[in-house]
Amino acid sequence: MPHDPPPPPPLPPPPAPRRVPEDVHRRRWAVLGVLMLSLLIVVLNNSILNVAVKTIASPAPTGIGATQGELEWAITSYALVFAGLLFTAGLVGDRLGRRRALLFGTVVFGVASALAALSASPAELIAHRALMGFGAAFVMPATLAVLMNVFERDEQPKAISIWVGAVGLAIGIGPVTGGLLLEHFWWGSIFLVNVPIVIVLLGATLLLVPESRDPAPGRIDAGGVLLSVVGLVLLVYGIIRGGELADFTAPGVVLPVLGGLLVLAGFVVHERRTAHPALDMSYFRNPAFSAAVGGMALVFFALMGVTLFAAFYLQSVRGFSPLEAGLVLLPMAVTQLAFASRSRLLVQRFGGRAVCTGGLLLVAACLAAFSGFDATTPVWAIEVVLFAQGVGMAHVTPPVTVAVMQAVPREKAGSGSAVNNTFRQVGGALGVAVLGSVLSAVYRRGIEGGLGALPPEARAAAGESVEATLAAAERLGPAGRSLVAPAHAAFLDALHVTALCAAGVAAVGAVVVAAFLPGPGARHGPPAHAAEGGPRESLRR
């Protein structure tokens, strides 16, 4: 009896329709190169500033005599304006065009960099850094939004990993570049170096980057932006002030902190009720999205605070030059660049939850290792810790960024990018403020007993930071040598406490992602049809 022939094998599923035009698809990697360079200068200037803090704190003509509080504000003013305007900048890019937003932000950033280089006082530097943050607020969300619109969904994780690697590269070459510039030029050169890069970027953006926008944008939420900026400024000002006074119960500390928290609570209520929110609160109903942005904020809270004070440790306690300090910090960045683009392979095999949890635990362990550093710790031991810390970061930032960006529709890529970068920047800004306050308060308590050689009226200022104490010792000449050892000891004690606090925050981040990020085989975001659906994205040269 003849047998029926076996049924034919099932046909493979048809390939997903291509949403990116062919001419854009062909030049996608060149576009990514332009986006990475744009991102590079935005991030690089913060890492340059970290090794320049000692020089800027020096009296004129070497620096401008900035105090530790003023240095923190030079960093925080940038981050606050940046984070506060990211919502609006992302929506403006979605509405008016992401290439236009990128070009506008690049021009503002270049002009502000030139002004910062010519600052004659700490107040001017803080103001110009805030203007740089204004420009950067339009650059960073536009880069990630453009990326999501020139790469198909299956290539987005690889492209995002490379995009994240650019952050690591900037963190690494920033200190080295800053050290080289400070050895040969005045401190303002660390900002002036941005100007020629900006000129190149403008030409490359016009030539290569396609325009894209949301075909159905909503209105800009000016009220939400105002509430977020006011709330963050009040909160961080109160925290920094608490560190300066070494008293977190003073009215000048408690009132701004409480006011900031109330305004930020009002921001959340406003965003939930308004028809056109700057931050779409419905995104947070996705546990993976919430865990990703929460983990991002916590790891950058921990990292940015300690990274800033590592520069003081290397230069003030170990006596390294800015260039030498930059070279010591280089392994952390090189490993991020090397491992970030490979992290997606581990995510495919083990899932985002396991990879991010392991990365955050490694970061926490490395931050805790700072508590064992002293004035004689071998450089190789510091390098090993920084290398491992870079590996940990490379397995946290790319997966959580992919989780955030693939959870929102393509046409809302600007607002999704704004959320991702806002939590990163707010976490970093609060890390500098909170951990800076912890370091300042612990240092002040530790050095108070060693300032007896100073006149009573000079003791308060000299006890503000290790740089202030060492400057006072230098002014005293041979009589001030007795201050150096107590200053180093007090700073190391303060650094150890700060590092353990940072490690604890990173460990909390590990708990968050372990609880809520998806495991192996789970999707980060909505189904493909939801992520790719909606009105056709406007994408043109």
Side-chain angles (χ1 to χ4, degrees), residues 70-327:
E70 289 168 335
L71 289 170
E72 289 177 2
W73 268 108
I75 295 171
T76 304
S77 65
Y78 176 95
L80 281 179
V81 175
F82 185 19
L85 291 178
L86 274 171
F87 302 133
T88 297
L91 291 173
V92 167
D94 283 346
R95 185 185 187 93
L96 300 181
R98 289 142 194 162
R99 184 173 71 165
R100 290 180 183 176
L102 183 58
L103 289 168
F104 172 77
T106 302
V107 169
V108 172
F109 189 87
V111 171
S113 296
L115 293 173
L118 302 176
S119 298
S121 68
E124 288 185 14
L125 178 60
I126 291 169
H128 296 147
R129 286 280 297 167
L131 185 60
M132 291 175 68
F134 179 84
F138 287 85
V139 171
M140 184 171 272
T143 61
L144 194 51
V146 169
L147 181 155
M148 298 298 290
N149 280 277
V150 299
F151 285 90
E152 300 290 353
R153 185 177 179 86
D154 59 341
E155 284 190 319
Q156 287 171 1
K158 181 178 181 180
I160 288 173
S161 296
I162 296 172
W163 181 89
V164 169
V167 177
L169 179 64
I171 292 173
I173 67 174
V176 176
T177 304
L180 287 170
L181 291 170
L182 291 171
E183 284 200 354
H184 297 92
F185 306 100
W186 98 113
W187 67 267
S189 62
I190 66 172
F191 300 113
L192 198 61
V193 71
N194 292 333
V195 176
I197 301 175
V198 162
I199 294 172
V200 172
L201 267 175
L202 292 175
T205 302
L206 288 169
L207 182 65
L208 293 170
V209 176
E211 185 61 282
S212 64
R213 59 173 59 87
D214 184 353
R219 293 196 304 269
I220 293 177
D221 179 21
V225 171
L226 179 63
L227 287 171
S228 67
V229 172
V230 172
L232 287 169
V233 168
L234 286 173
L235 177 63
V236 177
Y237 171 80
I239 293 170
I240 291 177
R241 187 61 178 158
E244 292 175 345
L245 298 175
D247 181 5
F248 286 89
T249 63
V253 176
V254 174
L255 292 178
V257 167
L258 290 179
L261 291 174
L262 288 174
V263 173
L264 290 175
F267 166 76
V268 173
V269 172
H270 171 80
E271 296 303 291
R272 292 175 63 90
R273 292 181 176 179
T274 184
H276 300 280
L279 175 59
D280 188 348
M281 304 303 290
S282 67
Y283 294 154
F284 293 92
R285 296 172 188 167
N286 182 340
F289 180 91
S290 297
V293 295
M296 179 81 76
L298 290 170
V299 72
F300 273 86
F301 178 103
L303 187 67
M304 292 302 293
V306 170
T307 300
L308 171 65
F309 304 116
F312 280 109
Y313 164 72
L314 293 172
Q315 294 183 61
S316 299
V317 176
R318 302 302 299 269
F320 294 162
S321 69
L323 175 58
E324 291 169 336
L327 291 172

Side-chain angles (χ1 to χ4, degrees), residues 82 86 140-141 144 163 416-426:
F82 185 19
L86 274 171
M140 184 171 272
L144 194 51
W163 181 89
S417 176
V419 171
N420 175 74
N421 290 305
T422 295
F423 274 80
R424 179 203 298 258
Q425 293 302 317
V426 170

